[in-house]
Amino acid sequence: MLYNMSSEQNELTQTPLLKIWVPWVHSTLSRRRGSSVPQFTNSPTVIVMVGLPARGKTYISKKLARYLNWIGVNTAVFNLGQYRREAVQTYKNYEFFRPDNEEAMKIRRNCASNALTDIGAYFTKEQGQVAVFDATNTTRERRGLILSFAKEKGYKVFFVESVCDDPDIIEQNIMQVKLSSPDYENCDKEEALEDFLKRIECYKMTYVPLDEEKDRHLSYIKIFNVGSRYLVNRVQDHIQSRIVYYLMNIHVTPRSIYLSRHGESDLNLLGRIGGDSGLSTRGQMYASALAAFVQSQSIRDLKVWTSHMKRTIQTAEALGVPYEQWKALNEIDAGMCEEMTYEEIQDHHPEEFALRDQDKYRYRYPKGESYEDMVHRLEPVIMELERQENVLVICHQAVMRCLLAYFLDKSADELPYLRCPLHTVLKLTPVAYGCKVESIFLNVQAVNTHREKPPNVDINRKTEDALQTVPEHV
Amino acid sequence: CSVSKNNTNDMPMETSPRELTQNPLRKIWMPYKNGLPEKHISQRKVCMTNCPTLIVMVGLPARGKTYISKKLTRYLNWIGVPTKEFNVGQYRRECLKIYKNFEFFRPDNEEGLKIRRQCALSALNDVRQYLCMEGGQVAVFDATNTTRERRDTITRFAEQNGFKVFFVESVCEDPDVIAENIVQVKLGSPDYIDCNTEEAVADFMKRIKCYENSYQPLDEGLDRELSYIKIMDVGRRYLVNRVLDHIQSRIVYYLMNIHITPRSIYLCRHGESDLNVRGRIGGDSGLTSRGKEYAKSLGHFIQEQNIKDLKVWTSQMKRTIQTAEALAVPYEQWKALNEIDAGVCEEMMYEEIQEHFPLEFALRDQDKYRYRYPKGESYEDLVQRLEPVIMELERQENVLVICHQAVMRCLLAYFLDKSAEELPYLKCPLHTVLKLTPVAYGCKVESIFLNVEAVNTHRDKPENVDISRPTEEALLTVPAHQ
């Protein structure tokens, strides 16, 4: 191990936005030895989906990408079907996929090549860390092609194979996502279904699943029958371990997740952030309304989660059902700004206030947290939400924004500005490849706590400019 | 199950919410009635399973079952799931007193079979006692359990008692791994106390043979309704079937992250800090000149140790980063390694805490593990936040963790299997590196003081922890400072 044993130790300075300690060098940018983001992997990873059509490959690809992006790993999905649609323009019928269709084979091979090229570009030019290659990849030949490509470039490869022979699940899949595909725009349901089943047959003839013996040197997870069984081989690093854990926790059982904030609190009314106050009168009314709402929904086996803060617990108490307190669901810690109004923050810490507007996701309160920190602390909550079925989460504004961003695939830039008003329940129901959202206002008035990003985020801005978007309060 | 309140009128859900009070020790909000806290409160505990779990090990001798049992038990206890292992071999040794040779294990040895069966049943009885009467949540049944018949007996027992069952099978055919196992843990077994190495190995190999003929591994077809993980070739491949709940999911994740590659973990604190010498807790101060000297010594020490591919981790606080900077190697900052948040007591001296918050100070001495600082954290909270660090430490090989006193106590407690009562009082002095090396079923610890003086920051539990104790008694054990 070679390194300099220099006797001088660099002075440290704390970056104003992230509040990370870094060595300070007078003029030039010093190469930072310390990384403040956990190093998930040192080389880009290609996740290669494997499986017959209608086995959930795209579902898994999109969900996995959404999760990885949320935890801060830049991930993109490369869906071969889309490349094919662009190349061929009009889809006639299943005959395109016949293994003896030379013309089509050529086109499909080209598409795969193009996708791999784009993956390379994603890694080198767009700081991508993980690429999900969403295609059937059912032949050893095709997988060999991908492995050579990856080996040449120094990328890691992890296969995710979905194996399913339950005809009900397959039909369900086809109904949910295939019939509405651009391929079947002008067909009626029966035609589409019939054609798709023939398409699957085309692939079956040449399908070679990952083999325990022959593929023992590859890294992969084989998922059987939507998760009742898994075979995991040669997990190489942290990110692959996290991917396996995630895939083993997700399910497709229909359910709904209800997200809501606590009822209006005393500090809310005063326009003060953070703290641990109780509910205002209107907040208590909301709690009762929430109880009525939950009852009216007739939700099977509903689990109720709160934070450790008084206002969420008071809200849950009104429901009259057991609930679980999670410290991880506590509101963002505003550190030195706890219980201040925005006006006071502008008054005492104008620079901090401006920095926060410049990058609200990464900005960390002095002696407090950032949205980025919160995402890390909420990850176990998300993992457990994936495992569970019907859950009502009673939490806080910043927390709810983070959870919502996960379910609705919102970027780090959008996340801190998502609208999560008081006294409004968001009902999330997984459907097809995404999430249906219903917003239900429970008809109890509350103060607005949403502060938009003001036009002027400059450190030297005037006070009026800084406070332009502060919502009204007592 | 849902508990609905009594409606004295027929109005739906018109119940007034219960009053809340904040438990003074843990700062948990709980409903109370007539001045007393009500029991009906649920706090997020890891094991969100509604019934106890029986983990059943499966595999031939020398396949790592006891290693896995002990490690898993240690992990589950550390994260707060009361777990205990039940090793049938120990029951057999208590019953038999003297082990003659492998013939005891011959499948045609009627007498032996009878005794072994009795031992298994006796162990299961103790399992029932632990899970039903002693507050245990997980029991690890460590035995070969290699026949379907034995496993059926256990499954029936679990059903009768309302326990969930999760099998952990270890399959390995690599002769080198098996030989290494035997050398590491079998030769030192009480069974072979009076034998030389060759005799012991020969006998043990014959013992394994006795099991081989009747071994029925978990079968993908026949056992498809069971919940299990099959670990093949020390973790190269896993087969996971029907994970039922959160705790089983966590167990699978843990088992898939551990390895047995030899390595060492180095734990130390940052160098002495400015707040340390002034006797103040928390904060984010820099190193004193002695602290900087320590950082340099640490750099030398690391070089001398010649550690292969060492990873260095710090917290995001200035003092650990300053320490790492002196090593002149890449390091990773983990927010999760930050020192315990002392909330309103941040940067106070113990004398000041006693002066301003004597009640808090006493409560902390009463239950230092669960005590949460007002607007701060408890050791219990720390363990939860450190769990991903432990998981990654399990995945890694050689790592140096530069952290803080409370954090280091939590990590050390994990590696050395210390209880929640002992944990907050573990000695982790400044300027001392602890080198932990996994060996056999535990961890070897070497303590290396790097010869740079530093203030003592360890405060022992005082004798008088009563809320109304006099100030001198509260401050009796406070270490000297400026």
Side-chain angles (χ1 to χ4, degrees), chain A residues 3 234 238 317 320 324 384, chain B residues 3 18 44 246 303 392:
Chain A
Y3 55 83
R234 288 191 187 265
H238 179 93
E317 275 288 313
E324 245 182 271
E384 190 56 17
Chain B
V3 175
R18 300 183 282 191
R44 174 71 198 178
H246 178 92
Q303 251 213 330
E392 190 57 19

Side-chain angles (χ1 to χ4, degrees), chain A residues 342 353-354 356-360 371 397 401 413-421 448-457 461 463-472:
Chain A
Y342 289 121
F353 202 42
R356 185 156 209 255
D357 284 336
Q358 288 177 15
D359 190 346
K360 196 175 177 192
Y371 272 94
Q397 184 166 248
R401 285 170 170 156
D413 294 315
E414 301 171 284
L415 187 160
Y417 295 101
L418 293 175
R419 281 191 182 283
C420 296
N448 171 34
T449 58
H450 185 93
R451 179 175 166 269
E452 288 288 357
K453 179 172 178 170
N456 189 347
V457 301
R461 62 190 176 174
T463 297
E464 316 89 73
D465 285 346
L467 298 177
Q468 197 175 330
T469 54
V470 173
E472 280 184 23

